[in-house]
């Protein structure tokens, strides 16, 4: 995905949905992600969620995964 497009989307998302207009503490997670994308020229790779959705639809167990992202990485083969 184009890094500039992702930067603009995440900046808006963090401000509206996560921070809800409040200031984030300096060096917070959102600020680090936005800063990393601001300087990026190459496209930002996105994690394919289709294998994880297929995993869920199949009824396979999800215990042991700390996040949906972890499940998605496992479902795609690591």
């Amino acid at each position: 995905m184009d890094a500039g497009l992702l930067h603009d989307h995440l900046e808006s998302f963090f401000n509206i949905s996560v921070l809800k207009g409040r200031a984030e503490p300096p060096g917070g997670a959102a600020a680090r992600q936005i800063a990393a994308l601001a300087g990026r020229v190459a496209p930002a790779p996105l994690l394919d969620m289709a294998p994880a959705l297929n995993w869920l639809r199949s009824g396979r167990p999800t215990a042991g995964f700390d996040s949906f992202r972890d499940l998605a990485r496992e479902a795609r083969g690591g």
Side-chain angles (χ1 to χ4, degrees):
M1 170 175 241
D2 178 79
L5 180 63
L6 184 57
H7 169 275
D8 292 350
H9 169 72
L10 286 180
E11 186 173 54
S12 176
F13 171 77
F14 287 144
N15 285 328
I16 294 168
S17 299
V18 177
L19 300 173
K20 299 184 186 263
R22 297 181 307 251
E24 181 184 19
R32 287 192 310 270
Q33 290 177 43
I34 296 300
L37 284 169
R40 188 178 179 103
V41 176
L46 299 180
L47 184 57
D48 183 7
M49 293 295 158
L53 294 172
N54 291 335
W55 180 301
L56 293 173
R57 288 182 188 118
S58 74
R60 293 176 65 184
T62 58
F65 296 104
D66 291 331
S67 68
F68 188 69
R69 181 181 2 194
D70 290 342
L71 173 65
R73 285 188 179 125
E74 179 68 24
R76 74 169 185 181

